[in-house]
Amino acid sequence: MQLNKSTDYAIRIILYLSKQDDLVTSEQIAKNTATDQNFIMRVLRRLKKAGIVEIVRGKDGGYRLFKDPTEISLFEVFNAMEPTMNINQCLDDKHNCSLKAYDTCPVRSFYLKFQEGFEHILKGVSIHDLKTRPIDELLKS
């Protein structure tokens, strides 16, 4: 499993915005996250749609977080950016099980427990936590 590039940059953009006291432009975000401005615009539109980022239009417009960084979990960001959160398609739908053993498959049972643990960690880590807590502490959540 590998995260989309857009998810990685979404987290970086949100972290950057969480450190700002005022509106910032897409140019400022691009410069400070070393990301292409066009790519940033696509990510920001998805984050706005998810209710994470606010876009203020006009001459003095820009971007800012719509929510407090303590209220934005990594799970919410991943969910906004990834086409699916499941680590295997057999977790998506009963019909995706090639063995027709949806309810009895030990591999699916393992994937399900792994998925639950993965989501538990993501739900327990906020953007604020990423800025303020040691990584080892975050993984104990």
Side-chain angles (χ1 to χ4, degrees), residues 4-141:
N4 287 320
K5 185 177 179 181
S6 59
T7 303
D8 181 48
Y9 281 104
I11 294 168
R12 295 168 192 251
I13 290 166
I14 295 167
L15 274 170
Y16 173 73
L17 291 174
S18 74
K19 297 173 186 175
Q20 307 310 307
D21 293 325
D22 206 0
L23 292 170
V24 294
T25 65
S26 59
E27 293 88 3
Q28 290 170 305
I29 297 169
K31 179 182 173 196
N32 288 286
T33 61
T35 310
D36 175 70
Q37 188 176 352
N38 290 328
F39 186 72
I40 283 178
M41 298 297 289
R42 288 192 304 264
V43 171
L44 287 167
R45 280 192 293 273
R46 289 176 75 180
L47 293 174
K48 181 195 182 315
K49 185 177 179 182
I52 298 171
V53 168
E54 179 180 19
I55 299 173
V56 177
R57 307 249 183 238
K59 179 180 172 277
D60 295 321
Y63 301 87
R64 65 179 164 222
L65 292 182
F66 186 70
K67 295 179 167 183
D68 188 275
T70 60
E71 296 174 4
I72 304 169
S73 71
L74 287 182
F75 181 82
E76 184 177 4
V77 178
F78 279 46
N79 203 33
M81 301 305 296
E82 293 291 327
T84 180
M85 288 289 295
N86 288 335
I87 61 165
N88 189 290
Q89 70 176 2
C90 75
L91 298 179
D92 290 335
D93 187 338
K94 187 177 225 171
H95 303 294
N96 287 333
C97 179
S98 60
L99 299 175
K100 308 296 183 224
Y102 185 81
D103 295 321
T104 59
C105 178
V107 176
R108 182 185 176 282
S109 294
F110 172 78
Y111 289 159
L112 189 57
K113 285 293 181 193
F114 183 87
Q115 182 74 35
E116 289 168 357
F118 176 62
E119 289 182 14
H120 176 75
I121 290 171
L122 292 177
K123 288 175 182 177
V125 178
S126 72
I127 293 298
H128 177 76
D129 292 333
L130 278 182
K131 291 188 324 184
T132 61
R133 293 174 53 197
I135 297 301
D136 291 340
E137 186 180 316
L138 294 177
L139 294 176
K140 290 180 184 175
S141 299

